[in-house]
Amino acid sequence: MLTRCQITVREALNTALDEEMSADPSVFLMGEEVGEYQGAYKISKGLLDKYGPDRVLDTPITEAGFTGIGVGAAYHGLRPIVEFMTFNFSMQAIDHIINSAAKSNYMSAGQISVPIVFRGPNGAAAGVGAQHSQCYAAWYAHVPGLKVLAPYSAEDARGLLKAAIRDPDPVVFLENELLYGESFPVSAEVLDSSFCLPIGKAKIERQGKDVTITAFSKMVGYALQAADILAKEGISAEVINLRSIRPLDRATINASVRKTNRLVTVEEGFPQHGIGAEICMSVVEDSFEYLDAPVERIAGADVPMPYAANLERMAVPQVDDIVRAAKRACYRAAVPMAATA
C-alpha cells in the first residue's frame, strides 16, 4: 500500500530543482533574487548555500541580458533554468525566447540543441494590475520549437519541472503564484528522485460521463470544485488537467468528448486565439459528430486586468461560471433541436 503525504507546490518545485542540480552539474539557475534572497517566492530556498554562486546566479534587473546569456549557455551544452519574477517580465526577453531559443534547432538542421527552461509565475495574481496579470500560455504555445507546460498540483510541479530540465528543447514552464502555498497529497513514487512526468500527456483528474471540462494551472482546482457542485445536481463531469499546453494531448481530450458528448474549456487568459479555441478546433476536426451540444468556452474577460478587487474577480473565471456552462451544455443536449429552434 502506497503511503501519501502532503507537500506544497513551492516544496515540489524546490526539491525538483535541487535533485536535478545534484544529478547533473550542467544544470544551473539564474534570475533576479534567486540566490541571496532565496527566490522572490522562495522556490530556490537553500540552493545557493548548497551549490554556490557559480550555479545559482543573482542577476541584475535586465531580463533581456540574462535570458540571452542563458540561451547562449544552452548553445554550448549547459542546461540553464531562467527564472522570471513574473512571466509578464519575459516580454523584455521575448526575442531571445522565440527567435533564438525556439528556432535554432530547426535553423541549424538539428545541429544546435537548446536545453533551457524559462520558468516563473504566470497569469493573474491578486491586486497587481493589468501589466502583471496576463496568462502567456497561448502566447508561447503559438510558437513551434517551444514546449509549454502549466502544472496544477505538487505532483505536476515536481514531475513536469524534472521533465523540462531534462528535455533537449526549450521549455516554457508556467507556474501560478497563488498555487505556491497550496498543499497536495503525493505518493512515495512522486517523492522518489527518479520521478518524472511525460511532456504532452494530460491527466484525467476526475472521471465523468456527462460533460468534459478541460483546464490547466489554477483553473483545474476551479473545475474540480465545479464538478463537485454538478454532481450534487446529477451531472457527472469529467475533469482533464491539461498539464502540457504544447504539445497538447489531443487524444485524451477527444477520447473524453467521444464519451461525454459535451465540452467546456476553461482558461484564465483572453478568449480570442486562446487555448480553448485550439481545443475546440481539435474536437471539431476529430470528434465533431460526437458532440451533442455546442462547445462552451470559459475564459478571462477580453479587457486588461482591472486593479479594483471587485472588477478583478469579474475579469477571471469563477467556479459558478463553469457550473453554468456545464449545465447549458447538458441542457441543450437533453432538449431536441427542434424545440430550441
Side-chain angles (χ1 to χ4, degrees):
M1 182 176 178
L2 286 175
T3 59
R4 300 180 75 83
C5 67
Q6 296 263 345
I7 65 170
T8 64
V9 169
R10 178 181 288 106
E11 292 168 328
L13 294 167
N14 177 265
T15 56
L17 288 170
D18 186 8
E19 290 168 9
E20 293 306 303
M21 291 179 74
S22 177
D24 186 348
S26 69
V27 177
F28 70 95
L29 174 67
M30 65 191 307
E32 296 152 1
E33 299 185 344
V34 299
E36 294 288 348
Y37 192 67
Q38 304 192 76
Y41 300 95
K42 305 309 178 204
I43 304 300
S44 53
K45 184 177 181 180
L47 298 183
L48 176 63
D49 290 341
K50 188 169 184 178
Y51 298 104
D54 289 340
R55 295 185 64 195
V56 181
L57 286 75
D58 279 322
T59 67
I61 304 174
T62 170
E63 282 77 14
F66 64 75
T67 303
I69 291 170
V71 173
Y75 283 174
H76 288 276
L78 297 178
R79 290 182 174 271
I81 304 164
V82 174
E83 177 178 309
F84 296 117
M85 197 176 291
T86 160
F87 252 92
N88 296 273
F89 299 161
S90 74
M91 292 290 91
Q92 303 296 318
I94 199 165
D95 181 61
H96 294 300
I97 298 169
I98 291 177
N99 279 330
S100 298
K103 297 177 181 177
S104 290
N105 186 261
Y106 176 83
M107 294 181 71
S108 68
Q111 296 179 76
I112 299 176
S113 292
V114 192
I116 187 171
V117 178
F118 306 102
R119 53 156 295 271
N122 170 71
V128 292
Q131 293 171 325
H132 299 77
S133 298
Q134 298 170 102
C135 175
Y136 286 92
W139 290 59
Y140 287 116
H142 184 65
V143 182
L146 292 178
K147 295 176 181 177
V148 181
L149 306 179
Y152 160 61
S153 65
E155 176 183 319
D156 291 353
R158 187 168 155 77
L160 291 175
L161 184 55
K162 282 174 165 283
I165 294 169
R166 298 174 190 180
D167 201 90
D169 297 313
V171 179
V172 172
F173 197 85
L174 303 173
E175 301 155 13
N176 186 284
E177 176 185 336
L178 300 179
L179 288 175
Y180 283 147
E182 285 203 25
S183 295
F184 292 87
V186 294
S187 66
E189 177 191 9
V190 173
L191 295 176
D192 190 275
S193 61
S194 64
F195 178 71
C196 190
L197 286 172
I199 292 175
K201 183 64 180 172
K203 179 186 180 183
I204 297 177
E205 294 282 352
R206 179 181 177 129
Q207 296 279 349
K209 61 183 178 61
D210 294 327
V211 59
T212 297
I213 303 175
T214 65
F216 60 93
S217 190
K218 191 172 184 291
M219 291 295 107
V220 177
Y222 282 22
L224 290 170
Q225 291 178 51
D228 286 338
I229 295 170
L230 291 164
K232 294 174 183 176
E233 302 187 30
I235 297 174
S236 173
E238 181 149 296
V239 177
I240 298 178
N241 172 7
L242 296 175
R243 284 181 166 173
S244 179
I245 308 302
R246 184 185 182 107
L248 187 65
D249 189 354
R250 301 172 193 274
T252 293
I253 296 167
N254 278 280
S256 179
V257 170
R258 291 182 180 207
K259 177 175 68 171
T260 67
N261 309 116
R262 306 164 191 93
L263 173 64
V264 177
T265 71
V266 187
E267 63 190 305
E268 274 189 276
F270 304 128
Q272 186 162 324
H273 308 129
I275 306 304
E278 179 64 25
I279 291 172
C280 179
M281 195 63 224
S282 174
V283 170
V284 167
E285 289 173 341
D286 296 338
S287 305
F288 179 73
E289 66 273 24
Y290 290 86
L291 286 172
D292 286 343
V295 175
E296 296 279 348
R297 179 174 58 170
I298 305 297
D302 200 25
V303 296
M305 179 65 71
Y307 177 74
N310 60 330
L311 297 178
E312 182 182 63
R313 189 179 188 281
M314 294 172 65
V316 293
Q318 302 298 324
V319 173
D320 289 347
D321 298 324
I322 304 171
V323 171
R324 284 193 294 269
K327 286 182 177 180
R328 281 195 301 268
C330 291
Y331 174 74
R332 293 187 72 165
V335 176
M337 292 304 291
T340 61

